[in-house]
Amino acid sequence: MALSHTSARVQAAGPVTVLGLESSCDDSAAAIVRLSPDGGVEVLAERVENQNTAHAPFGGVVPEIAARSHAERMDHLAKAVLEEAGLALADMDAIAATSGPGLIGGVMAALMTAKGLALGAGKPLIAVNHLEGHALSPRLVEPLAFPWLLLLVSGGHTQLLSVDGVGQMTRIGSTIDDAAGEAFDKSAKVLGLGFPGGPQLEKLAGKANDPSRFPLPRMLARDKSCNFSFAGLKTAVKRSFDTLDAPTETDRADLAASAQAAIAAHLAERTGRAMDIFAEHNPDARVLVAAGGVAANTAVRNALEKLAEEKGFRCLFPPLKYCTDNAAMIALAGAERLRLGLTDPLDTPARARWPLDETAASADPLIGSGRKGPKA
Ligand code: KG4
Ligand code: ZN
């Protein structure tokens, strides 16, 4: 049978209801979202299952374990959210799934499940870029008008984007090596903390006596772009740790606080520069949205809030459950795309790398590779 896709037969005037699936890293998730023509969003059901215990012994996400675990959970999760919402597949206007970027084996789990459901139920498929999901996530809580400046800081990504519309994002800056979450996780590992290290490092830093005790380098000090770099930080944290003889809890806490402050300062410095660029193009739209797991960090939040106040920006943090990986943002991105008539064929491939701003990505070959796919 030739692969084809059902064209969207949705009345632009009415609400659209979309089932979204997510499996690009180490969270398996499903959600059902209803989008009204006025931009109102209702999350009718949502589930997220993380795999932290499966990956913890290895100190990081193991792609093969992640892929198998996603494949085992996806159809159960889809069924569970339909039941929770009291709806049937036939009630969906489309099935959306993350189709990249991410760990390819994982991405395939949600995408294949979505293709099967779309084909079986005769519904359109919508292939969502995971980063677009994060970019649109503030709309899960309020009908925020385009454009806004997005700082996406997670374990897989660190970038600054001007979010101008659905499918319209301009990259202003990106990491040239590690993501901010990796900087937290790697520093945490040096300090002997478990995985994921970010939240544990934050907790330890809270016990610091002198948070400025360890002088850590200012990353990309002479670079005037909005790009980020975190690879040197881990080495510096390790070097500082190695100077300690039988480190006490306070020594470790001081070093954790120093690392956290260095990461927060680097994020704020680059974001400040991006705010100036964004404001130049959009003088009336001064909104900064911070999303991704690292946006949960209080030191990072405080630094961004202070910066936003200085620059006259409103600073918005989506609720934590929508900051980290979730399927509600994928369902919403799917609903927004469906409203514009943007559906995808059933032979749409899973993509390990899929920059949101292809022009910027191909113009800058420094950026675009990484352990978890494109951090760019
Ligand atoms: O967005 P996320 O849940 O998953 C992806 O990577 O896509 O982000 C996870 C990352 C991890 O590196 C984790 O250590 C970091 O976010 N993280 C934190 C905090 N909570 C999560 N880093 C610092 N402080 C936190 N409170
Ligand atoms: Zn993510």
Side-chain angles (χ1 to χ4, degrees):
M1 189 185 86
L3 290 175
S4 65
H5 71 291
T6 315
S7 61
R9 271 180 248 105
V10 173
Q11 297 298 313
V16 292
T17 308
V18 173
L19 168 65
L21 304 177
E22 158 64 35
S23 62
S24 63
C25 190
D26 58 349
D27 293 299
S28 316
I32 298 173
V33 162
R34 182 166 288 159
L35 173 66
S36 306
D38 64 0
V41 175
E42 253 184 293
V43 180
L44 301 179
E46 57 187 321
R47 293 240 176 152
V48 183
E49 290 179 4
N50 75 44
Q51 309 170 354
N52 285 348
T53 46
H55 299 292
F58 305 95
V61 177
V62 183
E64 291 76 14
I65 295 177
R68 182 168 304 199
S69 175
H70 287 306
E72 283 165 1
R73 296 165 196 241
M74 269 350 282
D75 50 352
H76 302 295
L77 281 167
K79 189 164 176 256
V81 291
L82 283 165
E83 277 172 12
E84 196 179 315
L87 295 170
L89 259 187
D91 300 318
M92 300 298 113
D93 293 305
I95 316 295
T98 295
S99 64
L103 299 170
I104 194 71
V107 174
M108 284 170 73
L111 185 60
M112 293 306 164
T113 306
K115 285 180 179 181
L117 295 175
L119 185 64
K123 302 289 176 181
L125 171 76
I126 302 175
V128 173
N129 183 311
H130 178 83
L131 304 177
E132 177 158 84
H134 278 299
L136 299 178
S137 65
R139 286 201 171 198
L140 284 166
V141 279
E142 66 169 82
L144 188 65
F146 294 115
W148 59 83
L149 177 67
L150 174 80
L151 171 67
L152 176 58
V153 272
S154 70
H157 314 285
T158 297
Q159 50 184 277
L160 283 156
L161 289 164
S162 175
V163 182
D164 307 321
V166 176
Q168 297 173 336
M169 325 260 158
T170 314
R171 195 177 72 193
I172 299 177
S174 184
T175 182
I176 59 168
D177 41 54
D178 286 350
E182 281 179 285
F184 271 107
D185 294 339
K186 288 179 177 177
S187 302
K189 204 167 173 181
V190 170
L191 291 162
L193 302 169
F195 174 83
Q200 296 186 44
L201 186 142
E202 176 170 21
K203 209 166 148 212
L204 180 61
K207 298 177 190 162
N209 199 19
D210 178 3
S212 54
R213 177 172 151 202
F214 294 93
L216 295 169
R218 248 186 85 208
M219 281 79 80
L220 296 179
R222 278 188 291 276
D223 176 289
K224 295 285 172 254
S225 76
C226 298
N227 288 337
F228 303 87
S229 169
F230 291 101
L233 184 73
K234 183 211 141 184
T235 317
V237 170
K238 173 91 172 69
R239 209 173 290 136
S240 297
F241 188 73
D242 289 344
T243 63
L244 297 167
D245 238 2
T248 62
E249 173 88 343
T250 308
D251 290 335
R252 290 168 62 245
D254 284 348
L255 185 51
S258 301
Q260 180 174 263
I263 296 169
H266 186 46
L267 289 173
E269 195 235 332
R270 301 285 147 158
T271 306
R273 200 169 289 158
M275 279 170 155
D276 294 340
I277 295 170
F278 179 83
E280 222 171 86
H281 291 91
N282 309 283
D284 302 322
R286 293 176 163 249
V287 178
L288 169 72
V289 174
V294 175
N297 183 279
T298 305
V300 169
R301 282 186 177 224
N302 290 345
L304 294 175
E305 266 164 359
K306 183 165 166 272
L307 178 73
E309 206 180 313
E310 283 165 16
K311 302 263 183 199
F313 269 62
R314 180 176 165 220
C315 191
L316 236 165
F317 300 97
L320 196 55
K321 67 175 177 175
Y322 297 141
C323 257
T324 53
D325 286 350
N326 66 89
M329 69 182 191
I330 303 304
L332 174 62
E336 300 260 22
R337 296 185 82 80
L338 183 66
R339 289 264 301 265
L340 298 174
L342 301 170
T343 64
D344 296 279
L346 284 174
D347 58 358
T348 299
R351 297 175 65 173
R353 302 180 191 288
W354 185 3
L356 265 182
D357 182 344
E358 305 255 10
T359 318
S362 48
D364 192 348
L366 241 190
I367 291 168
S369 61
R371 182 168 55 85
K372 288 186 186 172
K375 288 160 195 160

